[in-house]
Amino acid sequence: MKATALGIIAIMSAVATAAPMARAGAAAQDGPAAISGVWKLNAAASVNPNGPPAVKPAQAPRGGGGGGGGSVDVTGGATQQIQGGIGKEEEARLNAAKAFFFKAPEMMGIQATKDEFKLLLDPATKLGFAHKTDNKKAKVATPAGPMDFKVKWDGQKLVREAEMESLKVIETYTVSPDGKQLIVTVKADSTMVRNVQNGEIKRVYEKQPQ
């Protein structure tokens, strides 16, 4: 999963080579041509680019001596209700996954075709993903451990779905009609923890000249 510095340069070079297809007349282009390129986060135009703010922790009931609790703090502040129990190891994975998926990368390099989607995050992280857009599950390594990914084209939008034991994250990538902005929305749900995402996540990226 982790690319070497040379690999990052190679991917960026490939993206730059493909980018001219996406410059002129982007509104009339298909999804892969429009989404391919280098994108920079516009934090001011985004909603919660680094994830929803933490909710004030709930106060423990007075006089209560524990007795099973029924909630777990997986947000760094928000107390959320468990739906059936979660172990410490899975809680740690859930926290790591939320930290990764809820924080917007400052830069993204994308190279897409009808059949493939290659995503390079901020080169400083040396982190990249390569997916088939066949909507079939494939296990991929992430900073939170291995997760099942499914990627597909939904018309002109690209949808990437990541899933582990107690968390599902759906990212939707949409290019503006003029081809200058990429809108990425993130929606997370959990079978074990209610309100795992407590606010909207909408990221706005600006296409960089090549």
Side-chain angles (χ1 to χ4, degrees):
M1 177 190 65
K2 289 189 177 181
T4 63
L6 289 176
I8 292 172
I9 293 172
I11 294 174
M12 281 298 192
S13 297
V15 168
T17 301
M21 295 188 299
R23 283 188 209 157
Q29 293 178 355
D30 62 5
I35 200 173
S36 295
V38 178
W39 302 90
K40 183 177 181 180
L41 179 67
N42 182 340
S46 302
V47 178
N48 293 326
N50 288 313
V55 176
K56 184 178 180 180
Q59 296 296 318
R62 292 184 179 181
S71 65
V72 60
D73 185 351
V74 294
T75 65
T79 300
Q80 301 173 331
Q81 297 300 311
I82 295 178
Q83 298 173 318
I86 185 171
K88 289 294 184 181
E89 184 176 344
E90 189 173 351
E91 180 184 344
R93 281 199 66 198
L94 180 60
N95 282 329
K98 284 165 56 69
F100 175 66
F101 284 103
F102 284 8
K103 184 175 181 180
E106 292 292 328
M107 297 282 292
M108 296 192 302
I110 295 176
Q111 187 179 10
T113 67
K114 183 185 63 152
D115 302 313
E116 290 186 321
F117 174 67
K118 295 180 180 179
L119 173 66
L120 176 67
L121 304 182
D122 187 344
T125 68
K126 302 180 181 179
L127 180 62
F129 295 86
H131 304 285
K132 297 289 186 183
T133 56
D134 54 8
N135 201 33
K136 295 180 180 179
K137 281 187 178 181
K139 197 167 292 293
V140 178
T142 77
M147 298 183 72
D148 290 323
F149 280 80
K150 292 195 304 182
V151 181
K152 68 177 181 179
W153 287 102
D154 181 8
Q156 301 302 305
K157 300 178 182 180
L158 185 129
V159 180
R160 186 172 81 143
E161 180 181 308
E163 187 172 5
M164 66 182 205
E165 294 85 352
S166 61
L167 180 70
K168 178 185 287 187
V169 180
I170 299 176
E171 300 172 337
T172 303
Y173 296 72
T174 307
V175 178
S176 63
D178 62 7
K180 295 180 179 180
Q181 290 187 325
L182 174 64
I183 311 300
V184 182
T185 61
V186 180
K187 293 184 178 180
D189 192 17
S190 174
T191 57
M192 302 291 288
V193 180
R194 293 177 185 165
N195 303 320
V196 71
Q197 178 180 332
N198 57 41
E200 179 186 12
I201 298 178
K202 178 182 176 182
R203 301 163 182 165
V204 178
Y205 287 85
E206 308 286 348
K207 175 158 272 188
Q208 301 303 290
Q210 301 298 316

